[in-house]
Each structure stands twice: as C-alpha cells, then as structure tokens.
Amino acid sequence: MAQVPQRFFDALAVRTWCGLSLRALGRAREEIDAINVYPVADGDTGTNLYLTVESAVAAVEAVFAAHEVSTAAGAGAGAPGPGDAAGPSLAEAVQAMAHGALIGARGNSGTILAQLLRGMAQVLAARGEPAHTDGPGLRLALRHAADSARQAVAHPVEGTVLSVASAAADAADAAADDCGSVVRAAYEGARAALAATPGQLPVLERAGVVDAGGQGLVTVLAALVETLTGQAPGAAAVRVPHARAGHAERLAGGECAPQESGGEGPAFEVIYLLEAEDAAVERLRRRLDALGDSLVVVGGDGLWNVHVHVDDAGAAVEAGVEAGRPYRIRITHFGHGDVHTTGDGRPSQERAQRAVVAVVPGEGLAGLYTEAGATTVLARPGEPPASGELVQAVRRAHAREVVLLPNDAELRHTAAAAAEQARTEGIRVALIPTRSAVQGIAALAVHEPERRFDEDVVAMTSAAGATRYGEVTVAERQSWTTAGICQAGDVLGLIDGDVAVIGADVTATARTVLDRMLAAGGELVTLVLGDEAPEDVAEHLENHVREAYLAVDTVVYRGGRQGAPLLVGVE
C-alpha cells in the first residue's frame, strides 16, 4: 500500500521519514553488512546504520509523546497551551532526530550518518529563520548535511558515503522547488554516485561491491522519497553488475586487508560520547589523528561523538579524558579469525564443544554468569553492546557450538546480526530470545553441554519462556505508559516489558509487582538487586513471599550497576 505523502517537510514528515528509514534499513541490513569491506571488513555497517536510526526514531517518538502528554494534561485542566494540538514543531522534531542519532551512532558509517542528520537539522531548525518546510529549504539542508559530514571526517575519501551525500546535494540543486522533485533528484543522484564507488575505491572494485555506507544512505534517501511522494522508488539499493558472490564475505572473514594502504589496519575501533568545549575538541582531533585512522568527530554545542581506529585504545580514551568527559565508551577489537590463535594462525588450544555467551546488565550478574561457565558481555546503563562486541565474545568462547542469550528485547537485531556473522565463520550459533537477565539465569540453570545441541537449546528456550520477568525502575521524564501518565521520579513496575504499576516507593511497588506476577502461580522467585535498591527491599520481599506464598522459594543476587534498582523473575 502506498505511503500517504507529506507535501511539506514538517514534524510529521520527520517522524514518518525516520520510521520508514528504520524499516527499510531493517530489510536491507544483512545485504549491507555483507558488502562491508571499507574501511574495515567487519560486516556490521548495515547493523550500525540500523541502530543509529533506531536511536533517532526513539528520540523523535519521545518528543511526540511529550506533546501528547502535555496536550492531555492541558485538556484535563481545561486550558491547553497554544499550539499543543499541533504537536511538536519542525525544529523540535529535527533536533530530536539529530540528537538521537548522535548519542546512538555506531561505527564509522553510523557516525557520519549522524552528522548528515545534524547538518540537515542545523538548516531546518535555524533560529530567526522561517521554517524551511519547502523544496528550497530541503535543498539547503541536503547541501549543508553533505558539507558538514565531509568536514567531520579527518581525511575524506572519495568512493564512500561522503561522495554519495555530495552527489545527492548536487542533484538536488538542479531540481524544481517542490519537495518531491528535490528528494527524487537527490535520490537519483545518490544512486548514480553509489554505482560509481567501485571505480573510486580499489578495494570495492576487487570485492565487486559498492560502498556499504553509501548504500545505507541511498536506502535512507529512498525512505525520504516515499515520505514526500507517497511512492517508494523502484530500487533502493544498487549492486555492481559484476559483483562476485561470496567475495565480500571472504573479505569479512579476513582473507585480505581492506586498508587503503593495503597493509594491516589498526586493531581497535574506539567510540565514545564526549562533553567538551570546541577548542578542546580541535586539540583532540589532532591527537587522535596522530594515533590512528578513520577519525570522525561529529556533534557540537558541548556534546560530541568520537570515532577512531587505533592500535592503542587506552591512549584514545585518555585523549578524550584530557579533552572533557568521555562516556558510553565502546571498544571493539578488529581481530579476524579466532582470538585463541597463535601468531602462525594455529589454535592455541582445542575448541570446546559448546559454550554460552550472555549479555548482562551489571558486574554482579557478570560474575554470576561467569561462575556458571558463560562468556559475558557487560551492558552498562545506556551502553548496549554493538554486534561486533557480541561476535568477539562468541569468538572468545572458543567453541564449535554457542548459545547466545541477549537478555534484552532491544538487542534482538544486534544479537541476530552477531549470530549470522559468527555462522559465516563456521560456528554453530543458536539465539535464544531472552528479554531479561532473569530469563537468562533460568536458561543457564538447565544448560547441559553433554546432551545434543538441539535438545539443549530447546530445554534452555523452554526454561526462559516459562520465566515471567519484571523490573522496578525510576521514570526519567513525564510520559504515557500502559498504566497511565507517569512523572519524572515516579517508580515504575514493569511486568513482561509493560508498565503495570506507577508508585512512589521502590519497596511498595516491588511488592505489588511480585503479587501480580505470582497471581498466575510460580515455584521460584529470583530477585536481582541493583546498587540503587533500598537496603531492606530484599528482606522485605523474601518475608512477604514466605508468608503469603508457602510453596514458593526465593533466591537473591546482587547485580551491581544494572540500571534498574530491581529485576524480578518468577519461574
């Protein structure tokens, strides 16, 4: 069914564009991952672009949700504020989109995409200027986006997403003034530039593929065409006619190095958000440029996203500390092949038959999972792991068969991408869709490496599925929930991912959540306490279960800095 066109580029068009881009990248993610050979053949460009846009979508939806809450509250008081019914302004929507992409940017291409969106937002939300909702406004935004992205890259290379963005802006300059004509021209210009990328970068020509980041941008521009015309372009992606099947996958497996120099590239990708002044960031650029390559620094107004490939990851982080306050630090090793190999490529030890890899939200649970024999990936609050980190953990497990426990519904695409990449390396991977660490605990409890792989996976999946999961957390802002409107600072009780209780006290809310979960029956309650949980909450809940549910046992773990004061599982 055709998309209803947005004739002007307003806040609703921004929301529609973001949603269509996310769906399109979700469909194209695996193909884009497969052709990712530059600057590093790590096979995650599609996933990184998807996660970057996913963060932008979340930010835009939050703005719309806040306006809905404000409108409802004003209507309830009989005095809605001016403009409430119209929803957010274009400036609010594009600024949210740009900010969400900035804080969620992943990888080289995701960071550049974040700067492209920021460049557009700077034009579309310019203060003192009329809203740029028409074709000429979009034309200006596309030009500024391409120019600002190129400026953010320390050493721009032709044949990459930068070339595609510039070509899109060039084509838009010659289009008619209506929005549809501008975005169609930009899309067609980008497609033509994408098809030309192999002739600009030898590594793409050898692999028989187009630039992966450029293909991602074409996908995003196709979504913009659909937003403003109501019709999706006939072909949102371009492949080189002589593409040789499997060549990109062999590159990703490490058969040849895709560095422009033709030699070995840096060992680590380092990404972090940075709070710093402009002058300090300029010094940081020079410092990081001397340490490595693929340097991209995007952002402004005191908040930056820093991306660089280096051999000394510690030095790259230290440079950020000197410049300001780095956080959400993410370090990924580019090691191709197994991490348990010696210099001559031979395994240093025999592979285990089976292993479990789990994402855990806190240091305490990481210790618990490790004691149970799992290889863990720590996901600190606000810092979900990238697919490359999960692939590295699978390699680190050094097993022929791996059971992957993401322990978070938001990690489903990331975990799926990691599992697919590991399978291309000859590892048999089963992904169990655990949505909480307590479901992972239940799955790990029945794990038996000695039985057949399929039987083990079925047993672990069954145990996880039979475990209801809850969470007690604190609201960060006013918003709609399935239990009503919450205010910042309210205590929220979630059951199976939905808000079921809004309260003022962690212990009282936790007790209500526990009662509702046990109303359907249960034999074992698992409580995982975060650092912010009240000291007496575990004792209170244990006593309550003992007195009210005679046949139910309780086990308590310390989760550490897990983001939520309390996780609850009922088996």
Side-chain angles (χ1 to χ4, degrees):
M1 191 167 107
Q3 170 73 28
V4 176
Q6 305 293 323
R7 298 300 182 188
F8 299 97
F9 197 71
D10 55 8
L12 183 57
V14 173
R15 186 186 201 182
T16 303
W17 179 31
C18 287
L20 290 174
S21 295
L22 186 65
R23 286 195 287 275
L25 286 170
R27 293 190 297 268
R29 176 185 59 77
E30 291 184 359
E31 179 184 7
I32 297 173
D33 282 345
I35 64 169
N36 172 202
V37 299
Y38 182 86
V40 174
D42 48 355
D44 63 358
T45 289
T47 300
N48 287 337
L49 289 170
Y50 179 91
L51 294 172
T52 301
V53 173
E54 187 176 49
S55 182
V57 168
V60 172
E61 290 301 322
V63 166
F64 273 85
H67 271 265
E68 290 170 3
V69 169
S70 176
T71 300
D84 279 346
S89 66
L90 171 63
E92 290 174 315
V94 295
Q95 286 170 342
M97 173 185 70
H99 181 73
L102 176 68
I103 64 174
R106 304 293 186 90
N108 190 70
S109 294
T111 308
I112 293 173
L113 177 61
Q115 185 64 13
L116 287 167
L117 297 179
R118 177 179 170 80
M120 291 187 69
Q122 287 174 325
V123 171
L124 297 170
R127 294 180 181 177
E129 298 287 340
H132 291 291
T133 62
D134 55 5
L138 267 179
R139 185 185 295 129
L140 288 173
L142 290 167
R143 169 57 61 196
H144 186 64
D147 292 345
S148 61
R150 189 170 288 269
Q151 292 166 6
V153 178
H155 301 285
V157 175
E158 299 307 322
T160 66
V161 63
L162 298 177
S163 302
V164 176
S166 294
D170 291 343
D173 285 342
D177 283 349
D178 64 287
C179 287
S181 295
V182 169
V183 296
R184 279 196 195 95
Y187 169 75
E188 293 299 337
R191 283 189 72 224
L194 178 62
T197 55
Q200 297 171 293
L201 267 182
V203 66
L204 301 179
E205 178 66 26
R206 291 195 299 270
V209 297
V210 295
D211 178 67
Q215 185 157 328
L217 179 57
V218 168
T219 302
V220 171
L221 289 174
L224 183 57
V225 173
E226 185 175 1
T227 299
L228 292 169
T229 69
Q231 297 292 328
V238 176
R239 296 292 293 270
V240 180
H242 64 276
R244 296 182 294 280
H247 195 102
E249 289 80 354
R250 291 197 300 276
L251 279 172
E255 286 189 17
C256 58
Q259 303 300 323
E260 193 173 12
S261 64
E264 289 293 333
F268 297 97
E269 177 185 59
V270 179
I271 304 175
Y272 50 80
L273 291 179
L274 177 71
E275 293 178 356
E277 299 298 326
D278 290 6
V281 171
E282 284 306 310
R283 293 192 296 271
L284 176 65
R285 288 180 194 270
R286 293 192 293 270
R287 175 88 179 273
L288 293 179
D289 194 25
L291 285 174
D293 60 27
S294 296
L295 174 61
V296 185
V297 181
V298 304
D301 302 320
L303 180 63
W304 309 81
N305 190 307
V306 179
H307 170 281
V308 67
H309 295 171
V310 293
D311 281 321
D312 190 344
V317 175
E318 288 172 8
V321 173
E322 292 177 6
R325 186 179 79 87
Y327 60 103
R328 293 196 187 180
I329 300 167
R330 185 173 294 107
I331 300 173
T332 304
H333 188 266
F334 284 134
H336 297 302
D338 198 279
V339 295
H340 293 268
T341 57
T342 59
D344 60 3
R346 293 191 306 270
S348 59
Q349 63 185 47
E350 182 66 24
R351 282 181 178 272
Q353 181 61 32
R354 189 173 309 156
V356 176
V357 172
V359 180
V360 290
E363 294 87 347
L365 281 179
L368 173 68
Y369 272 74
T370 300
E371 288 177 8
T375 298
T376 61
V377 178
L378 187 61
R380 294 182 176 86
E383 300 180 32
S387 60
E389 293 174 81
L390 298 187
V391 172
Q392 185 67 12
V394 171
R395 293 170 181 153
R396 194 169 70 246
H398 200 49
R400 299 182 181 89
E401 302 167 339
V402 171
V403 179
L404 183 56
L405 306 175
N407 291 341
D408 186 341
E410 298 300 319
L411 288 177
R412 61 191 184 279
H413 295 294
T414 304
E420 188 60 33
Q421 173 63 29
R423 291 182 188 116
T424 66
E425 299 176 11
I427 304 171
R428 188 179 184 188
V429 181
L431 173 61
I432 297 180
T434 48
R435 299 187 173 191
S436 170
V438 292
Q439 289 189 320
I441 291 173
L444 198 56
V446 301
H447 168 56
E448 292 185 13
E450 293 78 18
R451 64 184 163 198
R452 291 178 54 243
F453 185 63
D454 291 340
E455 293 177 355
D456 197 29
V457 170
V458 167
M460 295 176 72
T461 303
S462 178
T467 302
R468 300 193 70 191
Y469 62 97
E471 177 181 331
V472 177
T473 189
V474 178
E476 295 182 355
R477 60 178 180 271
Q478 183 189 57
S479 62
W480 283 103
T481 76
T482 50
I485 300 174
C486 73
Q487 306 296 325
D490 282 350
V491 178
L492 306 181
L494 289 78
I495 299 176
D496 293 338
D498 293 323
V499 176
V501 183
I502 300 175
D505 176 75
V506 170
T507 301
T509 302
R511 177 170 173 163
T512 302
V513 167
L514 198 51
D515 284 338
R516 293 193 183 183
M517 293 176 72
L518 286 169
E523 299 175 354
L524 176 66
V525 170
T526 300
L527 304 176
V528 183
L529 306 180
D531 284 345
E532 298 179 357
E535 292 185 3
D536 61 347
V537 66
E539 181 180 358
H540 177 89
L541 295 177
E542 283 186 285
N543 290 337
H544 177 63
V545 171
R546 189 180 303 112
E547 294 169 3
Y549 306 94
L550 300 180
V552 179
D553 295 324
T554 305
V555 60
V556 180
Y557 300 112
R558 294 282 174 179
R561 294 179 295 170
Q562 62 185 27
L566 179 67
L567 302 179
V568 182
V570 173
E571 298 178 47

